[in-house]
Short mmCIF file of all heavy atoms in Angstrom, two decimals:
data_model
loop_
_atom_site.label_atom_id
_atom_site.label_comp_id
_atom_site.label_asym_id
_atom_site.label_seq_id
_atom_site.Cartn_x
_atom_site.Cartn_y
_atom_site.Cartn_z
N ARG N 430 49.59 140.21 168.70
CA ARG N 430 49.94 141.62 168.63
C ARG N 430 49.10 142.33 167.56
O ARG N 430 49.03 141.88 166.43
CB ARG N 430 51.42 141.81 168.30
CG ARG N 430 52.33 141.38 169.44
CD ARG N 430 53.73 141.90 169.18
NE ARG N 430 53.75 143.36 169.05
CZ ARG N 430 53.74 144.20 170.08
NH1 ARG N 430 53.71 143.72 171.30
NH2 ARG N 430 53.76 145.50 169.88
N VAL N 431 48.44 143.40 167.94
CA VAL N 431 47.60 144.15 167.02
C VAL N 431 48.35 145.40 166.56
O VAL N 431 48.67 146.26 167.36
CB VAL N 431 46.27 144.56 167.68
CG1 VAL N 431 45.42 145.35 166.71
CG2 VAL N 431 45.54 143.33 168.19
N GLY N 432 48.59 145.48 165.26
CA GLY N 432 49.27 146.66 164.73
C GLY N 432 50.77 146.55 164.69
O GLY N 432 51.41 147.19 163.89
N GLY N 433 51.37 145.73 165.53
CA GLY N 433 52.80 145.52 165.49
C GLY N 433 53.60 146.75 165.89
O GLY N 433 53.10 147.67 166.54
N TRP N 434 54.86 146.77 165.48
CA TRP N 434 55.76 147.87 165.83
C TRP N 434 55.34 149.18 165.20
O TRP N 434 55.67 150.25 165.70
CB TRP N 434 57.18 147.54 165.37
CG TRP N 434 57.86 146.46 166.16
CD1 TRP N 434 57.30 145.63 167.08
CD2 TRP N 434 59.24 146.11 166.08
NE1 TRP N 434 58.23 144.77 167.59
CE2 TRP N 434 59.44 145.04 167.00
CE3 TRP N 434 60.32 146.56 165.34
CZ2 TRP N 434 60.68 144.44 167.18
CZ3 TRP N 434 61.56 145.97 165.51
CH2 TRP N 434 61.74 144.92 166.43
N PHE N 435 54.63 149.11 164.07
CA PHE N 435 54.29 150.32 163.32
C PHE N 435 52.78 150.51 163.23
O PHE N 435 52.23 150.89 162.20
CB PHE N 435 54.90 150.26 161.92
CG PHE N 435 56.38 150.02 161.93
CD1 PHE N 435 56.89 148.75 161.71
CD2 PHE N 435 57.26 151.05 162.18
CE1 PHE N 435 58.26 148.52 161.73
CE2 PHE N 435 58.63 150.84 162.20
CZ PHE N 435 59.14 149.56 161.98
N SER N 436 52.10 150.27 164.32
CA SER N 436 50.65 150.44 164.38
C SER N 436 50.27 151.86 164.01
O SER N 436 51.00 152.82 164.27
CB SER N 436 50.15 150.10 165.78
OG SER N 436 48.79 150.45 165.92
N SER N 437 49.11 152.01 163.37
CA SER N 437 48.62 153.35 163.03
C SER N 437 48.38 154.18 164.28
O SER N 437 48.40 155.41 164.24
CB SER N 437 47.34 153.25 162.20
OG SER N 437 46.36 152.51 162.91
N ASN N 438 48.14 153.50 165.40
CA ASN N 438 48.07 154.17 166.70
C ASN N 438 49.46 154.11 167.32
O ASN N 438 49.86 153.10 167.90
CB ASN N 438 47.05 153.48 167.60
CG ASN N 438 46.95 154.15 168.97
OD1 ASN N 438 47.62 155.14 169.24
ND2 ASN N 438 46.10 153.60 169.83
N LEU N 439 50.22 155.19 167.19
CA LEU N 439 51.61 155.17 167.65
C LEU N 439 51.72 154.98 169.15
O LEU N 439 52.79 154.59 169.66
CB LEU N 439 52.31 156.47 167.25
CG LEU N 439 52.70 156.62 165.77
CD1 LEU N 439 53.56 157.86 165.59
CD2 LEU N 439 53.45 155.40 165.26
N ASN N 440 50.63 155.24 169.89
CA ASN N 440 50.67 155.05 171.34
C ASN N 440 50.63 153.57 171.71
O ASN N 440 50.85 153.21 172.88
CB ASN N 440 49.52 155.79 172.01
CG ASN N 440 49.64 157.30 171.83
OD1 ASN N 440 50.75 157.83 171.73
ND2 ASN N 440 48.51 157.99 171.79
N LEU N 441 50.32 152.71 170.73
CA LEU N 441 50.36 151.27 170.93
C LEU N 441 51.49 150.62 170.14
O LEU N 441 51.74 149.42 170.28
CB LEU N 441 49.03 150.63 170.51
CG LEU N 441 47.81 150.93 171.40
CD1 LEU N 441 46.56 150.31 170.78
CD2 LEU N 441 48.03 150.42 172.82
N ALA N 442 52.14 151.40 169.32
CA ALA N 442 53.22 150.88 168.49
C ALA N 442 54.52 150.78 169.30
O ALA N 442 54.54 151.08 170.51
CB ALA N 442 53.42 151.77 167.27
N HIS N 443 55.57 150.35 168.64
CA HIS N 443 56.87 150.24 169.32
C HIS N 443 57.98 150.70 168.38
O HIS N 443 58.85 149.93 167.99
CB HIS N 443 57.12 148.82 169.79
CG HIS N 443 56.57 148.53 171.15
ND1 HIS N 443 57.08 149.08 172.31
CD2 HIS N 443 55.50 147.78 171.53
CE1 HIS N 443 56.38 148.67 173.35
NE2 HIS N 443 55.41 147.88 172.90
N LEU N 444 57.95 151.99 168.06
CA LEU N 444 59.05 152.55 167.28
C LEU N 444 60.37 152.44 168.03
O LEU N 444 61.44 152.40 167.42
CB LEU N 444 58.77 154.03 166.95
CG LEU N 444 57.56 154.34 166.06
CD1 LEU N 444 57.52 155.83 165.75
CD2 LEU N 444 57.59 153.52 164.78
N ASP N 445 60.28 152.40 169.37
CA ASP N 445 61.51 152.28 170.15
C ASP N 445 62.24 150.97 169.84
O ASP N 445 63.47 150.93 169.78
CB ASP N 445 61.21 152.40 171.64
CG ASP N 445 60.17 151.41 172.12
OD1 ASP N 445 59.30 151.01 171.31
OD2 ASP N 445 60.21 151.02 173.31
N TYR N 446 61.49 149.88 169.63
CA TYR N 446 62.13 148.62 169.26
C TYR N 446 62.87 148.75 167.93
O TYR N 446 63.98 148.24 167.77
CB TYR N 446 61.08 147.50 169.15
CG TYR N 446 60.43 147.09 170.44
CD1 TYR N 446 59.34 146.22 170.45
CD2 TYR N 446 60.88 147.57 171.67
CE1 TYR N 446 58.73 145.83 171.64
CE2 TYR N 446 60.27 147.20 172.86
CZ TYR N 446 59.19 146.33 172.83
OH TYR N 446 58.59 145.95 174.01
N PHE N 447 62.22 149.43 166.98
CA PHE N 447 62.84 149.61 165.66
C PHE N 447 64.10 150.47 165.76
O PHE N 447 65.11 150.18 165.12
CB PHE N 447 61.83 150.25 164.71
CG PHE N 447 62.33 150.38 163.30
CD1 PHE N 447 62.66 149.27 162.55
CD2 PHE N 447 62.46 151.64 162.70
CE1 PHE N 447 63.13 149.39 161.25
CE2 PHE N 447 62.91 151.77 161.40
CZ PHE N 447 63.25 150.63 160.67
N TYR N 448 64.04 151.50 166.61
CA TYR N 448 65.22 152.35 166.78
C TYR N 448 66.37 151.59 167.42
O TYR N 448 67.53 151.78 167.04
CB TYR N 448 64.86 153.57 167.64
CG TYR N 448 63.94 154.56 166.95
CD1 TYR N 448 63.15 155.44 167.69
CD2 TYR N 448 63.87 154.63 165.57
CE1 TYR N 448 62.31 156.36 167.08
CE2 TYR N 448 63.03 155.55 164.94
CZ TYR N 448 62.25 156.41 165.70
OH TYR N 448 61.42 157.31 165.09
N TRP N 449 66.04 150.72 168.39
CA TRP N 449 67.10 149.89 168.98
C TRP N 449 67.69 148.95 167.93
O TRP N 449 68.90 148.71 167.92
CB TRP N 449 66.54 149.08 170.15
CG TRP N 449 66.37 149.84 171.43
CD1 TRP N 449 65.22 150.08 172.11
CD2 TRP N 449 67.42 150.47 172.19
NE1 TRP N 449 65.45 150.83 173.23
CE2 TRP N 449 66.81 151.08 173.31
CE3 TRP N 449 68.80 150.60 172.03
CZ2 TRP N 449 67.53 151.79 174.28
CZ3 TRP N 449 69.53 151.31 172.99
CH2 TRP N 449 68.90 151.89 174.08
N LEU N 450 66.84 148.42 167.06
CA LEU N 450 67.32 147.54 165.99
C LEU N 450 68.27 148.30 165.06
O LEU N 450 69.35 147.80 164.70
CB LEU N 450 66.13 146.99 165.20
CG LEU N 450 66.47 146.05 164.03
CD1 LEU N 450 67.13 144.77 164.54
CD2 LEU N 450 65.21 145.73 163.21
N LEU N 451 67.89 149.53 164.69
CA LEU N 451 68.74 150.33 163.82
C LEU N 451 70.04 150.72 164.52
O LEU N 451 71.10 150.79 163.89
CB LEU N 451 68.00 151.58 163.36
CG LEU N 451 66.83 151.38 162.41
CD1 LEU N 451 66.27 152.72 161.94
CD2 LEU N 451 67.22 150.54 161.21
N ALA N 452 69.97 150.97 165.82
CA ALA N 452 71.19 151.27 166.58
C ALA N 452 72.13 150.07 166.55
O ALA N 452 73.36 150.23 166.40
CB ALA N 452 70.85 151.64 168.03
N GLY N 453 71.55 148.86 166.67
CA GLY N 453 72.36 147.64 166.58
C GLY N 453 72.98 147.49 165.19
O GLY N 453 74.17 147.16 165.06
N PHE N 454 72.18 147.71 164.15
CA PHE N 454 72.70 147.65 162.77
C PHE N 454 73.83 148.65 162.59
O PHE N 454 74.85 148.36 161.95
CB PHE N 454 71.58 147.94 161.77
CG PHE N 454 70.65 146.79 161.54
CD1 PHE N 454 69.39 147.00 160.99
CD2 PHE N 454 71.00 145.50 161.88
CE1 PHE N 454 68.52 145.94 160.77
CE2 PHE N 454 70.14 144.43 161.67
CZ PHE N 454 68.90 144.65 161.13
N SER N 455 73.65 149.86 163.13
CA SER N 455 74.65 150.91 162.98
C SER N 455 75.96 150.53 163.67
O SER N 455 77.05 150.81 163.15
CB SER N 455 74.13 152.23 163.56
OG SER N 455 72.99 152.68 162.86
N MET N 456 75.85 149.88 164.82
CA MET N 456 77.06 149.47 165.53
C MET N 456 77.80 148.37 164.76
O MET N 456 79.02 148.40 164.62
CB MET N 456 76.70 148.97 166.94
CG MET N 456 77.91 148.54 167.77
SD MET N 456 79.13 149.88 167.97
CE MET N 456 78.18 151.02 168.99
N VAL N 457 77.03 147.38 164.25
CA VAL N 457 77.64 146.32 163.44
C VAL N 457 78.27 146.91 162.18
O VAL N 457 79.37 146.53 161.77
CB VAL N 457 76.59 145.25 163.08
CG1 VAL N 457 77.17 144.24 162.08
CG2 VAL N 457 76.11 144.53 164.33
N GLU N 458 77.55 147.87 161.57
CA GLU N 458 78.07 148.55 160.39
C GLU N 458 79.40 149.23 160.69
O GLU N 458 80.36 149.13 159.92
CB GLU N 458 77.06 149.59 159.91
CG GLU N 458 77.61 150.57 158.88
CD GLU N 458 76.87 151.90 158.86
OE1 GLU N 458 76.68 152.51 159.93
OE2 GLU N 458 76.50 152.32 157.76
N PHE N 459 79.47 149.91 161.83
CA PHE N 459 80.69 150.62 162.19
C PHE N 459 81.86 149.66 162.38
O PHE N 459 82.98 149.94 161.93
CB PHE N 459 80.47 151.43 163.47
CG PHE N 459 81.73 152.05 164.01
CD1 PHE N 459 82.34 153.10 163.34
CD2 PHE N 459 82.31 151.58 165.18
CE1 PHE N 459 83.51 153.68 163.83
CE2 PHE N 459 83.47 152.14 165.67
CZ PHE N 459 84.07 153.20 164.99
N LEU N 460 81.61 148.52 163.01
CA LEU N 460 82.68 147.54 163.22
C LEU N 460 83.17 146.98 161.89
O LEU N 460 84.38 146.81 161.67
CB LEU N 460 82.19 146.41 164.13
CG LEU N 460 81.87 146.82 165.58
CD1 LEU N 460 81.29 145.64 166.35
CD2 LEU N 460 83.10 147.37 166.28
N ALA N 461 82.22 146.70 160.97
CA ALA N 461 82.61 146.21 159.65
C ALA N 461 83.36 147.28 158.88
O ALA N 461 84.36 147.00 158.20
CB ALA N 461 81.36 145.77 158.87
N PHE N 462 82.89 148.53 158.99
CA PHE N 462 83.58 149.64 158.34
C PHE N 462 85.00 149.79 158.88
O PHE N 462 85.95 150.01 158.12
CB PHE N 462 82.78 150.94 158.57
CG PHE N 462 83.51 152.18 158.14
CD1 PHE N 462 83.52 152.58 156.82
CD2 PHE N 462 84.19 152.95 159.08
CE1 PHE N 462 84.20 153.73 156.43
CE2 PHE N 462 84.86 154.10 158.70
CZ PHE N 462 84.87 154.48 157.37
N LEU N 463 85.14 149.67 160.21
CA LEU N 463 86.45 149.80 160.84
C LEU N 463 87.42 148.74 160.33
O LEU N 463 88.60 149.02 160.08
CB LEU N 463 86.30 149.69 162.36
CG LEU N 463 87.41 150.30 163.23
CD1 LEU N 463 87.53 151.79 162.97
CD2 LEU N 463 87.11 150.02 164.70
N TYR N 464 86.90 147.53 160.15
CA TYR N 464 87.73 146.43 159.65
C TYR N 464 88.27 146.74 158.25
O TYR N 464 89.46 146.59 157.98
CB TYR N 464 86.91 145.14 159.63
CG TYR N 464 87.61 143.99 158.95
CD1 TYR N 464 88.58 143.25 159.61
CD2 TYR N 464 87.28 143.64 157.64
CE1 TYR N 464 89.23 142.19 158.98
CE2 TYR N 464 87.92 142.59 157.00
CZ TYR N 464 88.90 141.87 157.67
OH TYR N 464 89.54 140.84 157.04
N HIS N 465 87.38 147.19 157.36
CA HIS N 465 87.79 147.48 155.99
C HIS N 465 88.63 148.76 155.92
O HIS N 465 89.56 148.87 155.11
CB HIS N 465 86.58 147.60 155.08
CG HIS N 465 85.86 146.31 154.86
ND1 HIS N 465 86.40 145.28 154.14
CD2 HIS N 465 84.65 145.88 155.29
CE1 HIS N 465 85.56 144.26 154.11
NE2 HIS N 465 84.49 144.60 154.79
#
Side-chain angles (χ1 to χ4, degrees):
R430 290 194 58 81
V431 179
W434 289 10
F435 305 99
S436 171
S437 57
N438 180 1
L439 285 188
N440 296 330
L441 291 176
H443 272 290
L444 296 185
D445 55 332
Y446 292 172
F447 184 62
Y448 290 157
W449 282 118
L450 180 65
L451 292 185
F454 283 161
S455 297
M456 181 58 67
V457 172
E458 167 205 50
F459 173 70
L460 294 176
F462 170 82
L463 202 61
Y464 172 79
H465 291 291

